[in-house]
Amino acid sequence: MREIQTEKITETVRELCIRANYFLPEDVFRALQKAEASEEKAVAKDILGDLIQNADIAKEKEIPICQDTGMAVFFVRVGQEVHITGGGLSDAINEGVRQGYREGYLRKSVLGDPLERINTNDNTPAVIHYDIVPGDRLEITFAPKGFGSENMSALKMLKPSDGIEGVKRFVLDTVRSAGANPCPPMVIGVGIGGTMEKCCQLAKVALTRNLEEKNPNPFYEALEEELLDEINRTGIGPQGFGGGATALSVKVETFATHIAGLPCAVNINCHATRHMKTII
Ligand code: SF4
């Protein structure tokens, strides 16, 4: 067994929280540049230029890309040969969030109870998804999620007879009704299959994919390209002012499902699609 101290995990998470909120992933940055280069509408081109400049300033001055520094979402792959020492793994991650959000001057946006609505003032608790995998390493992906875009996301339990056309219709309807609210250009994560909760998780995982990596399955690669094309024909455009760049990318994740169902989830992200991964 390989031992990993909780102090090491807390320190790693602290760094992830700060860095992911300051530094836009390179693939997202390049996607914004590409969108700006091909945008034909003047206002849209200007907005994309502003978003690129915003990301540049955040990087140079080491300040948050957006004022909404998100609810802290983690995907943690725990090697089954790893032994965590010094306390609980979830406690260590939450302590890293606490320290990172305080020391990085990141906005604390989390309420302890959804109806009492009292801020916990340290951005905890985090939402943590665990996966037990072979090996002796701990892989932590941090993806802070702003709620301008999270609020526009949706799940639909489609019928099997709805088929691929039903999936396309639902994705496009969700994007159209989101309009300018998720701060476009968006990144669209689509989950297809599984159960209700698995489907939503697939859509969120899709948002952590590298925008420049094609889907390994040619069928879903074609679906991603078709959906992106259709979404960019809606005319919503950057920040909703019209134009061609409504979305930067569409990513689809799938899982086995039941004979009686076809769940589909759409998780929308914004131009500040932030995520960062580290391996201990
Ligand atoms: S949707 Fe994204 S860009 Fe818009 S306020 Fe939220 S985090 Fe910021």
Side-chain angles (χ1 to χ4, degrees):
M1 288 298 260
R2 177 172 166 241
E3 292 203 348
I4 299 179
Q5 290 277 339
T6 48
E7 287 89 358
K8 173 74 180 162
I9 296 164
T10 295
E11 172 57 22
T12 301
V13 167
R14 187 190 82 90
E15 279 291 301
L16 277 178
C17 289
I18 296 172
R19 292 177 61 79
N21 270 296
Y22 292 177
F23 307 125
L24 193 67
E26 288 295 320
D27 56 313
V28 182
F29 190 77
R30 281 192 292 271
L32 284 171
Q33 287 178 316
K34 205 169 140 201
E36 188 206 19
S38 59
E39 181 61 64
E40 288 169 4
K41 198 172 172 207
V43 179
K45 210 176 182 65
D46 281 355
I47 292 167
L48 289 164
D50 288 344
L51 297 178
I52 290 165
Q53 194 186 6
N54 176 69
D56 260 338
I57 292 169
K59 184 176 172 185
E60 190 194 317
K61 296 192 179 296
E62 301 200 356
I63 54 174
I65 300 158
C66 179
Q67 41 77 32
D68 185 350
T69 51
M71 190 158 190
V73 178
F74 291 89
F75 293 97
V76 183
R77 289 161 63 85
V78 187
Q80 57 196 24
E81 305 300 326
V82 169
H83 179 214
I84 310 287
T85 59
L89 176 54
S90 298
D91 290 343
I93 291 171
N94 276 308
E95 182 55 29
V97 170
R98 199 170 281 122
Q99 293 180 14
Y101 273 71
R102 184 179 62 235
E103 292 166 30
Y105 299 100
L106 308 175
R107 196 182 82 185
K108 289 86 182 166
S109 310
V110 173
L111 310 172
D113 180 278
L115 293 179
E116 286 178 353
R117 305 198 75 77
I118 296 167
N119 199 310
T120 60
N121 285 322
D122 59 8
N123 224 55
T124 69
V127 175
I128 310 171
H129 304 280
Y130 289 108
D131 204 2
I132 309 294
V133 296
D136 64 356
R137 302 197 298 180
L138 189 65
E139 182 186 298
I140 305 174
T141 301
F142 170 60
K145 192 67 175 72
F147 263 50
S149 54
E150 191 74 352
N151 282 341
M152 306 318 294
S153 304
L155 166 77
K156 190 158 187 182
M157 303 304 283
L158 294 166
K159 294 189 289 299
S161 58
D162 290 323
I164 189 168
E165 292 308 318
V167 168
K168 290 182 202 168
R169 209 165 32 246
F170 176 56
V171 174
L172 281 164
D173 286 351
T174 305
V175 170
R176 276 197 204 95
S177 63
N181 291 302
C183 301
M186 315 170 209
V187 175
I188 315 290
V190 180
I192 309 173
T195 50
M196 185 187 77
E197 84 287 1
K198 177 70 181 177
C199 191
C200 291
Q201 195 182 339
L202 290 171
K204 178 120 6 239
V205 167
L207 294 177
T208 64
R209 285 215 350 241
N210 185 313
L211 302 192
E212 290 162 358
E213 277 174 18
K214 291 186 185 301
N215 196 307
N217 180 324
F219 175 79
Y220 287 109
E221 180 193 342
L223 179 61
E224 289 173 351
E225 283 174 9
E226 184 184 341
L227 285 170
L228 180 62
D229 195 46
E230 288 292 325
I231 288 167
N232 283 336
R233 285 175 201 271
T234 59
I236 295 167
Q239 300 297 300
F241 285 101
T246 298
L248 299 175
S249 186
V250 177
K251 297 293 182 202
V252 176
E253 290 285 322
T254 62
F255 194 77
T257 195
H258 191 279
I259 50 172
L262 178 54
C264 182
V266 180
N267 198 190
I268 298 183
N269 217 343
C270 53
H271 67 85
T273 289
R274 299 152 288 188
H275 51 85
M276 199 170 272
K277 180 169 84 174
T278 197
I279 297 171
I280 300 175

